[in-house]
Amino acid sequence: MQLTEGKVAAALSLLAAGLLAPMAGHAQEASGGTDAGVSAPQRAPNAYDETASEPGTLVADSAVLFYQEDDDRVRAIEAEAGLTWNRSNGSTFSIKGTFDALTGATPNGAIRSNSVERFEPPQQRAKAADGELCPIDGCTSSSGTYTIEPGKLPVDKTFHDRRYAVDVGATVPVAEGLKLSVGGGYSHEFDFTSRSVRTTLAKELFRKNTTVSLGFNYEYDTIRPYFGIPDALGDMGSYSVGKSRLKKVYNVVAGFTQVLTPEWLVQLNYSYGHSTGYHTDPYKLISLVDRSSGDPFFSLYERRPFERNRHSVYFGSKLALGSFVTDASARWYRDSWGIKSVTFALSEHVPIGRSFYLEPGVRWYHQTQANFFRYFLYLDEPTPRMASSDSRLSRFGAWTLGLRGGAKVASNIEVYGSAERYWQYGLHFDRTLPGNLATTDLFSGSKSISVVGGVRVTFR
Amino acid sequence: MLGAALSLGGCAHMGAEPWQRDVLARKSMQLAREPAILSFDEHTYFSKEAASGGRSFDGGGCGCN
């Protein structure tokens, strides 16, 4: 089912009404008697120099993301709203709801061709009216079939989804300097359901200058592709081999946070993730190419390993100079699929006047390719055990340039937002390839713009 | 790594005394400054890149990767 503009507009109107209602109520309070509310902040040069800890409050936080990829590819609207209750004894309880709507076109994994390419989903065996089994396309008129013009990147134009998610969490002090956090999440899409539970234990040491933590997360996913589970490395359009598959993800994070000076805080995390089950993208294909002409001939469904192990080390630093704060981070990652990546991010919190801030930031990411990544397969080669042409498993880099900002518009209301430009870069042409492949653009990475707007209201 | 980190934390000249924590307590100094923006960013990167996690748990709770 495609989202209509009217439905999106209606959803946004409802959300906007929800966001603005508390602001209207508190605007009067802010303009009428602000003395009590601003007595403490008046001492701080900027609103964001005020203390973050607010025991005995209920905080409502809502935000909306607009995401658009270039060339009319994926468009997403994601809204989330949450409540956090900060109790005076140091415990916190939170609940958050998220809604995503995605439309547009996403690369299907096949390479560009000099002729029209036709793509079709797996066929499902379904019961016809007379009880006979038949391909679902033959019994109904549902399709999922599309064609791509010569020279164009093959994209699945039927891509659309909606996601509803809820997350709850609680943090309670269990002893002096020791806090226990527990939480869980549930997320549902047309073709995917995820449930997760998590727990973290954090201990403060050395006059609260050091915090060590250990957390565990377990996620249980069900994948139900629209047209069933494709026959991995089988021919495009062949019969599906099932309706759903499972995936389990285990994740452990060991964290260490250290105050180096009264103005400098650093964080070091080690994360290990282990997942088993269905990792294959059921919508991705891989082209079979004729070695002499270099033209794609047909497509197969991709296949990924049953298991994946991930390791990452994250380092973060926050350094204050007056009311300015420099935020720097780095992440090193590798996994059992042969992918290694590095990520660096840098941003600067710039106070403006008494109530505003701006935060320009830059992020750079680079990854190597998975050991089973192939842009295509040759017709005359033996079919490998695993193969995927998903560009997210290829070697590429990405830049993000962004600007965040926020303002404290009343004693209990903050508005915030961000605008970001993200673009991937990587190999476009390999001149050593045979025939037309040498002049075929192999790149299918994305470029996007995202804009976020949010409001946070604190009830005391 | 943890042992080295703990011995670093125990260093007498490192850190802040309780009366020196005003800067560390600021909103602008919190590690997860704007959780909603962080959450949106993580979701986008999770759906577009192979690596995930690091800052917190990986996995995405979505079928986008």
Side-chain angles (χ1 to χ4, degrees):
Chain A
M1 182 170 65
Q2 292 283 356
L3 275 178
T4 63
E5 288 183 8
K7 285 176 181 171
V8 171
L12 289 176
S13 302
L14 278 172
L15 185 73
L19 295 180
L20 293 175
M23 289 182 72
H26 287 272
Q28 193 174 12
E29 176 191 319
S31 59
T34 56
D35 289 350
V38 298
S39 57
Q42 276 176 343
R43 289 195 292 272
N46 182 271
Y48 294 85
D49 291 342
E50 295 167 11
T51 179
S53 173
E54 295 190 279
T57 58
L58 182 68
V59 180
D61 198 341
S62 300
V64 183
L65 161 74
F66 298 91
Y67 173 89
Q68 174 69 62
E69 293 183 3
D70 290 16
D71 304 320
D72 285 330
R73 278 166 58 171
V74 178
R75 174 184 302 166
I77 296 175
E78 182 169 348
E80 66 172 50
L83 278 176
T84 303
W85 180 28
N86 302 300
R87 296 193 63 195
S88 49
N89 67 356
S91 56
T92 63
F93 300 90
S94 64
I95 182 166
K96 182 177 79 170
T98 305
F99 168 71
D100 295 359
L102 293 99
T103 56
T106 188
N108 67 10
I111 62 170
R112 293 170 173 86
S113 171
N114 290 324
S115 53
V116 173
E117 288 185 279
R118 182 177 182 276
F119 299 97
E120 57 186 299
Q123 296 183 65
Q124 275 183 300
R125 294 181 191 277
K127 286 222 169 182
D130 59 2
E132 293 295 315
L133 287 175
C134 65
I136 199 163
D137 278 4
C139 299
T140 71
S141 58
S142 66
S143 180
T145 300
Y146 53 94
T147 57
I148 299 295
E149 294 301 306
K152 300 286 186 188
L153 177 70
V155 290
D156 184 349
K157 299 170 185 172
T158 63
F159 176 69
H160 59 96
D161 214 338
R162 287 182 179 184
R163 183 173 75 109
Y164 304 87
V166 63
D167 186 277
V168 293
T171 299
V172 291
V174 290
E176 183 62 33
L178 186 67
K179 283 188 174 178
L180 174 69
S181 299
V182 293
Y186 176 82
S187 171
H188 180 76
E189 301 168 43
F190 289 136
D191 56 353
F192 186 88
T193 302
S194 173
R195 311 108 183 140
S196 67
V197 290
R198 62 181 183 272
T199 182
T200 299
L201 202 57
K203 173 68 177 169
E204 292 175 333
L205 302 166
F206 310 120
R207 307 184 312 283
K208 296 188 175 182
N209 284 314
T210 303
T211 304
V212 290
S213 63
L214 187 65
F216 176 74
N217 184 69
Y218 172 69
E219 185 178 315
Y220 182 86
D221 300 334
T222 307
I223 301 103
R224 295 175 309 277
Y226 294 101
F227 299 100
I229 301 292
D231 182 14
L233 294 178
D235 291 351
M236 176 180 66
S238 56
Y239 285 108
S240 62
V241 294
K243 287 185 176 176
S244 66
R245 292 288 185 271
L246 301 176
K247 185 172 74 174
K248 299 172 185 174
V249 186
Y250 308 84
N251 194 213
V252 176
V253 178
F256 170 77
T257 307
Q258 176 65 43
V259 174
L260 293 178
T261 74
E263 294 83 25
W264 192 9
L265 179 69
V266 294
Q267 180 185 25
L268 186 66
N269 285 351
Y270 167 72
S271 168
Y272 170 71
H274 172 72
S275 52
T276 59
Y278 191 74
H279 291 85
T280 298
D281 187 328
Y283 304 113
K284 289 283 190 276
L285 298 160
I286 184 164
S287 296
L288 277 180
V289 176
D290 179 73
R291 195 185 292 270
S292 55
S293 67
D295 291 325
F297 178 77
F298 198 62
S299 298
L300 305 180
Y301 295 111
E302 69 152 48
R303 184 181 192 183
R304 304 185 190 187
F306 185 77
E307 194 174 82
R308 189 177 193 181
N309 294 310
R310 305 165 178 253
H311 302 265
S312 69
V313 173
Y314 170 88
F315 173 77
S317 164
K318 284 253 184 184
L319 176 64
L321 188 64
S323 293
F324 290 72
V325 178
T326 304
D327 189 322
S329 68
R331 180 185 63 181
W332 296 267
Y333 167 97
R334 69 179 176 86
D335 66 28
S336 58
W337 290 0
I339 297 170
K340 293 178 182 173
S341 84
V342 290
T343 312
F344 297 106
L346 183 68
S347 65
E348 182 71 19
H349 173 94
V350 180
I352 295 178
R354 288 187 43 78
S355 306
F356 296 86
Y357 82 88
L358 283 177
E359 198 170 296
V362 59
R363 174 185 185 270
W364 179 73
Y365 171 85
H366 186 268
Q367 72 174 53
T368 62
Q369 70 180 38
N371 47 29
F372 55 89
F373 174 81
R374 296 282 303 272
Y375 285 105
F376 54 84
L377 299 174
Y378 287 116
L379 262 172
D380 59 358
E381 72 173 303
T383 305
R385 216 167 60 82
M386 306 286 167
S388 172
S389 59
D390 188 338
S391 67
R392 296 170 297 186
L393 301 178
S394 69
R395 178 187 181 90
F396 71 89
W399 285 97
T400 306
L401 283 181
L403 183 65
R404 294 182 185 182
K408 187 168 183 176
V409 296
S411 63
N412 64 335
I413 302 175
E414 280 178 56
V415 293
Y416 57 89
S418 72
E420 289 182 349
R421 175 67 169 159
Y422 173 79
W423 69 96
Q424 297 180 341
Y425 62 90
L427 176 74
H428 279 263
F429 298 96
D430 183 348
R431 305 295 184 192
T432 65
L433 294 174
N436 290 327
L437 279 175
T439 54
T440 298
D441 186 356
L442 300 169
F443 188 69
S444 60
S446 63
K447 295 178 179 176
S448 61
I449 288 177
S450 49
V451 178
V452 175
V455 61
R456 182 164 43 245
V457 183
T458 303
F459 302 94
R460 296 186 173 85
Chain B
M1 186 175 79
L2 189 61
L6 284 176
S7 54
L8 190 74
C11 180
H13 301 293
M14 190 174 290
E17 298 298 334
W19 58 87
Q20 296 177 309
R21 305 189 76 88
D22 56 322
V23 173
L24 295 165
R26 289 176 182 172
K27 290 179 179 175
S28 58
M29 280 294 280
Q30 301 314 298
L31 289 168
R33 207 13 230 115
E34 290 294 357
I37 295 177
L38 275 179
S39 165
F40 289 143
D41 279 351
E42 293 290 325
H43 190 184
T44 301
Y45 295 138
F46 176 79
S47 67
K48 294 291 159 194
E49 299 170 351
S52 64
R55 188 187 288 272
S56 61
F57 297 118
D58 63 12
C62 77
C64 47
N65 198 346

